[in-house]
Amino acid sequence: HRAMSKDPRIRHLHMGFSPGTQVPSVTELWTRLRNSFHRLPRVVQVILGLQVASYLLILLAGTTDFGIRLTGIVALTPTLFFKGWVWQGFTYGFFHLRQDLFPFLVDIALVWSLGGLFAGRWRSTHFLFFYLVSGLVGAVLHSALAIPFPNQFAHPVLGASGPVYALLVAYRLVFGEQLVPLFGGTPF
């Protein structure tokens, strides 16, 4: 394994670049990322902006009284969801726990990549409807599973898992075995 990692062709492939090409600088990568964001349909830019803003809000609120109350209101809690707190079926998908940086980044990357792909093919209103309904379906399924399996599913949930899984399923149905283009370019 060590001998393979010294081979520059293998290192470049692991980094998502072709053999023989120069590894881009941080500035160049930032420019590519920024340009990729500006090419996204507006609806995906807004969804990503809401997710980043809500993550920062939870991060800044922390464990203060406001942060705890905010999390209790926006997190999907199955018992409250079935008692009429239906907005949680939409809000949980835009918020993440402050300590869940990696799941947040994965959700952002997949919404960016797959959301940009599908929103570009569908009308923005259709994509927004798909995104919101898939989050709601995920909330209903999670809450329904809390009835027979309370130890596994009755806890509050945050994160864009419902819409992200729906995007992955849609990608698989439409594109089959093709690699997922991360940020509109490098396969994932």
Side-chain angles (χ1 to χ4, degrees):
H1 180 67
R2 265 181 172 250
M4 280 182 29
S5 64
K6 290 182 180 179
D7 185 346
R9 292 172 299 175
I10 302 298
R11 275 192 321 213
H12 281 93
L13 287 175
H14 285 287
M15 295 173 63
F17 303 104
S18 302
T21 61
Q22 189 77 330
V23 176
S25 67
V26 171
T27 307
E28 204 174 330
L29 286 172
W30 175 252
T31 303
R32 287 183 190 180
L33 201 61
R34 191 180 66 229
N35 290 341
S36 171
F37 180 80
H38 289 300
R39 284 191 305 269
L40 289 172
R42 178 70 61 198
V43 66
V44 177
Q45 290 178 351
V46 169
I47 289 170
L48 291 171
L50 286 171
Q51 287 186 341
V52 169
S54 25
Y55 181 76
L56 291 175
L57 180 63
I58 292 285
L59 188 65
L60 293 173
T63 56
T64 64
D65 190 44
F66 170 73
I68 293 168
R69 282 196 318 242
L70 176 66
T71 303
I73 291 170
V74 300
L76 172 66
T77 308
T79 53
L80 296 176
F81 182 70
F82 283 134
K83 288 182 180 176
W85 290 37
V86 292
W87 68 83
Q88 291 182 342
F90 299 103
T91 57
Y92 84 101
F94 290 97
F95 287 84
H96 289 75
L97 291 174
R98 60 189 169 83
Q99 64 268 25
D100 286 347
L101 179 62
F102 184 72
F104 167 72
L105 292 175
V106 169
D107 286 349
I108 290 293
L110 289 170
V111 169
W112 184 315
S113 302
L114 299 180
L117 182 70
F118 284 112
R121 291 173 164 257
W122 305 337
R123 289 188 5 212
S124 292
T125 53
H126 292 160
F127 177 76
L128 183 61
F129 180 78
F130 172 84
Y131 191 85
L132 294 174
V133 167
S134 61
L136 186 60
V137 168
V140 169
L141 289 174
H142 181 86
S143 298
L145 287 170
I147 296 167
F149 306 108
N151 291 338
Q152 290 83 14
F153 293 97
H155 59 280
V157 174
L158 290 172
S161 299
V164 166
Y165 283 125
L167 285 169
L168 287 168
V169 168
Y171 186 84
R172 175 73 165 105
L173 291 172
V174 173
F175 298 103
E177 304 265 337
Q178 291 182 19
L179 295 175
V180 175
L182 190 58
F183 300 113
T186 308
F188 174 66

